Amino acid sequence: MAVSSDWNASLYDARLNFVTSYGESVLELLEVKPGEEVIDLGCGTGRLTAEIADAGASVIGIDASPAMLETARSNYPQLRFMQADASNFKVEHPVDAVFSNAALHWVLDAEGAVRSISNALKPGGRLVAEFGGKGNIRSIESAFLRNLIGCGCHDAAHAWYFPSIGEYASLLEKHGLEPATMWLFDRPTPMEGEDGLKAWLTQFGHAFTGCFTPEQFDESLNKTVEDLKPTMYREGVWTLDYRRLRVIARKL
Ligand code: BEZ
């Protein structure tokens, strides 16, 4: 069952705005120049899209979530946003750059996403992206799956894509994108408040799939919080075991 089919944009901005804040350093890698055409793939509520526009670029924010786009359009009515899936989006003409922060791990058809990104770029255009890499949220993922299985859901799985550098570099090369620089690194991520992990799982838990009921989901969520508290929670802050994959690649 799917716990929630769309995102909660207000929870995202209220409790999970670190996702966008960490994206600031990814945006620096983009080195936007005035007059460039840029796609912000997986733009969420649009804050980084607006920063790209503020740097003088012409930007289109793309997201699959109607709730996120509704908030993005109301926050930034002057900007262009488009609903599309990252695995098969199309643009009217090729652009200078595709930027993506904390989105590509949601796209299970990673090859479709890389193909679409490559098709969207001019020769010499660049992809600058960051998302979850191999080993991302390993403790949370394994505790939640263990608890779902413990509740009787034997087909529990999750729907995220966390590749290694080698795996992703091969995919980029297959679709005409030359990796210039790639990094895989730990980025322990704080979530404030005793209910921090619960808020995180409430927003992102819909990526866990299987034959469970809402009651089994809630039981697994509470058990996961209990199991991880001794190692992840200290003095009012949860520290989540994020690992990031950063990519700069050029269209050949
Ligand atoms: C991430 O940004 O790595 C992430 C966010 C939500 C769920 C899983 C991973």
Side-chain angles (χ1 to χ4, degrees):
M1 73 144 233
V3 169
S4 155
S5 58
D6 200 5
W7 293 69
N8 179 336
S10 40
L11 173 63
Y12 188 84
D13 273 350
R15 295 297 303 273
L16 300 155
N17 57 2
F18 67 82
V19 176
T20 308
S21 301
Y22 278 115
E24 303 282 352
S25 61
V26 190
L27 194 49
E28 281 172 26
L29 298 175
L30 184 63
E31 297 181 349
V32 190
K33 289 163 208 66
E36 284 193 318
E37 291 186 302
V38 179
I39 288 167
D40 181 6
L41 189 57
C43 63
T45 54
R47 196 173 102 196
L48 296 175
T49 322
E51 291 189 27
I52 295 170
D54 288 347
S58 162
V59 60
I60 304 178
I62 295 182
D63 208 285
S65 158
M68 288 293 199
L69 286 175
E70 193 182 326
T71 303
R73 288 189 176 113
S74 116
N75 287 345
Y76 308 104
Q78 74 284 14
L79 299 183
R80 269 191 298 168
F81 293 99
M82 186 171 108
Q83 189 188 357
D85 194 311
S87 63
N88 60 20
F89 73 97
K90 287 191 175 61
V91 286
E92 284 161 16
H93 57 266
V95 298
D96 298 294
V98 173
F99 171 79
S100 183
N101 176 54
L104 292 173
H105 47 247
W106 292 102
V107 187
L108 293 188
D109 179 5
E111 179 147 20
V114 170
R115 187 187 303 111
S116 304
I117 291 167
S118 183
N119 288 339
L121 284 170
K122 292 175 182 167
R126 61 205 188 277
L127 165 67
V128 175
E130 181 180 296
F131 56 104
K134 194 171 175 66
N136 194 34
I137 57 155
R138 202 191 299 269
S139 313
I140 302 172
E141 177 197 306
S142 61
F144 202 84
L145 289 177
R146 187 180 63 241
N147 287 319
L148 282 172
I149 293 165
C151 285
C153 173
H154 296 288
D155 65 346
H158 72 79
W160 286 303
Y161 172 67
F162 299 140
S164 67
I165 287 184
E167 188 182 342
Y168 209 65
S170 301
L171 206 52
L172 293 169
E173 284 174 352
K174 183 171 172 194
H175 292 281
L177 290 164
E178 184 172 65
T181 317
M182 296 177 79
W183 301 258
L184 179 64
F185 58 97
D186 290 336
R187 196 201 63 205
T189 297
M191 272 296 282
E192 303 252 329
E194 198 166 2
D195 67 341
L197 180 59
K198 188 168 182 169
W200 190 94
L201 281 166
T202 303
Q203 174 72 325
F204 295 131
H206 59 85
F208 288 94
T209 59
C211 57
F212 50 83
T213 61
E215 292 72 30
Q216 286 171 316
F217 179 88
D218 287 346
E219 194 183 328
S220 302
L221 189 155
N222 290 330
K223 186 86 182 42
T224 299
V225 170
E226 214 176 280
D227 291 349
L228 295 180
K229 203 165 182 181
T231 51
M232 280 195 170
Y233 181 70
R234 183 163 305 157
E235 293 173 5
V237 181
W238 287 85
T239 302
L240 312 187
D241 54 347
Y242 274 42
R243 294 193 92 199
R244 314 316 285 164
L245 181 64
R246 266 190 189 181
V247 177
I248 302 178
R250 292 223 168 254
K251 171 83 177 271
L252 293 172

